Amino acid sequence: MAHNIVMPALEMAQENGKLLAWRKKEGEAIAKGEPLLEIETDKAVVEIESPAEGILAGVKAHVGDVIPVGQTIAWIVMPGEKPPAETQPSASGRRMETKASPSSPPAAVKSSAEPSSSTARISPKARRLAKEHGIDLNGVRGTGSEGEILAEDILALVASPGSAKGTPASGALETMSSIARLMAERTTQSWTSVPHFFVVREADAGALIEAREKLGSAIEKAQGVRVTQTDLLVALAARVLVKHPRLNASWTGQGIRLNLEMNIGVAMAVNDGVVAAVIPGAQAKNLGEIAALRHDLTERARAGKLRPADISGATFTISNLGMYKVDAFSAIINPPQAAILAVGRITDRVVPVDGKPGIRPMMTMTLSSDHRVVDGARAATFLNDLADAIQDPGKWLG
């Protein structure tokens, strides 16, 4: 039985996706779950796996094509089987946008960042960097296994003394990647259309540090993954959100949707900007499971190998800039979510302790909320409960 491959929808507002690469050629066999293609959305470069075992056939999309969500781009068929004839327009009702002229047949769009004849493998990050810096991949010798071109190879070329692709000249316009450009558009849209308000709360992080040392040591020994402060915050925030459903809700335009699962998005810095990888059902996961999943998501985000499910469905987001020595900041909400938590670094401060001056490790949290969904009292109560959980994590994580 033939299986159609369609351009997936990775978020509610997505309309199109750009095809970056096919991992298989038409006529080649592929196993279920094997990497099939890479697409670029406004959030990340995502690797799509094959939904079935069979032969890749009926390829309708080419590298560089911008394709509407829901449109069939290829088929997986059984040996000897032919792909179904296309008798109706795609479900999206829109034609594929390509860089070819309307009168010419569909063809792969080639650029200086896409080798036309080289058979060398190229990592997604290396491809993006080469495109941004205008480097012809045909002249690059990869240092990875089997000659794969890695991001480090591109960065080395950019930094080389003889390279003309180094620091932009004064006054030059820096070219933005599509991810960075669309991220700028989305944050502008959120800031100008969502009624943000902010609540700030300091919390004594002494118990949080102790919990990380105590619990983290056992988890690292058993699972080989290091527990971070972000992991603890994800676990605690998810459990506190159970008591505060409005903070985990979504604005739909017609009203407020209360989400049953606490799917926590974790903001991660990548070369092109920021992606929010999702830890689904975090309220039901233990700290070790959260740490392992967050570590895996971080590695794949940096390598440009996030899957569609990794960046979709978040109901609440945490952005932690403590590792960059930031004391406090305000974050922009990711619609349709109702809130995002911005976390600063833990630093020693003089605060009242039993009526006397004392030095305690303090952390500043700033909650950005959508006033259509959350009022000030709800935001303050949630933040106070989260601060209490940070000061007694064992009560919530035991």
Side-chain angles (χ1 to χ4, degrees), residues 203-209 233 236 363 365 385-393 396:
D204 186 331
L208 195 71
I209 295 172
L233 290 170
L236 293 173
M363 177 175 65
M365 302 179 293
D385 284 350
L386 181 58
D388 290 343
I390 288 171
Q391 290 164 184
D392 189 10
W396 297 80

Side-chain angles (χ1 to χ4, degrees), residues 270-293:
V270 294
N271 182 67
D272 295 318
V274 178
V275 297
V278 183
I279 298 178
Q283 82 284 354
K285 287 181 169 60
N286 61 43
L287 184 59
E289 291 172 329
I290 289 172
L293 181 53

Side-chain angles (χ1 to χ4, degrees), residues 129 135 143 150-163:
L129 287 172
I135 294 175
T143 59
L150 306 176
E152 289 78 5
D153 300 325
I154 305 300
L155 292 174
L157 283 174
V158 173
S160 62
S163 173

Side-chain angles (χ1 to χ4, degrees), residues 23 26 93 115 124-125 142 159 178 214 233 256 311 347 382:
R23 289 303 185 197
E26 187 165 6
K125 187 174 181 179
S178 60
K214 180 181 178 180
L233 290 170
I256 299 169
I311 57 175
T347 183
F382 165 78

Side-chain angles (χ1 to χ4, degrees), residues 258-322:
L258 299 178
N259 300 301
L260 299 179
E261 292 291 313
M262 285 63 196
N263 302 329
I264 308 299
V266 179
M268 299 177 177
V270 294
N271 182 67
D272 295 318
V274 178
V275 297
V278 183
I279 298 178
Q283 82 284 354
K285 287 181 169 60
N286 61 43
L287 184 59
E289 291 172 329
I290 289 172
L293 181 53
R294 188 270 315 153
H295 175 76
D296 178 59
L297 290 169
T298 300
E299 291 298 309
R300 286 194 284 110
R302 290 171 179 169
K305 294 184 179 295
L306 288 172
R307 296 185 290 262
D310 296 332
I311 57 175
S312 61
T315 57
F316 183 91
T317 298
I318 296 176
S319 181
N320 186 356
L321 292 181

Side-chain angles (χ1 to χ4, degrees), residues 7 13 16 35 63 77 107 109 136 160-161 171 190 206 220 267 303 306 336 351 369 385:
M7 175 57 64
N16 304 296
V63 171
V77 300
V109 178
D136 185 356
S160 62
S190 174
E220 185 170 4
L306 288 172
V351 296
S369 301
D385 284 350

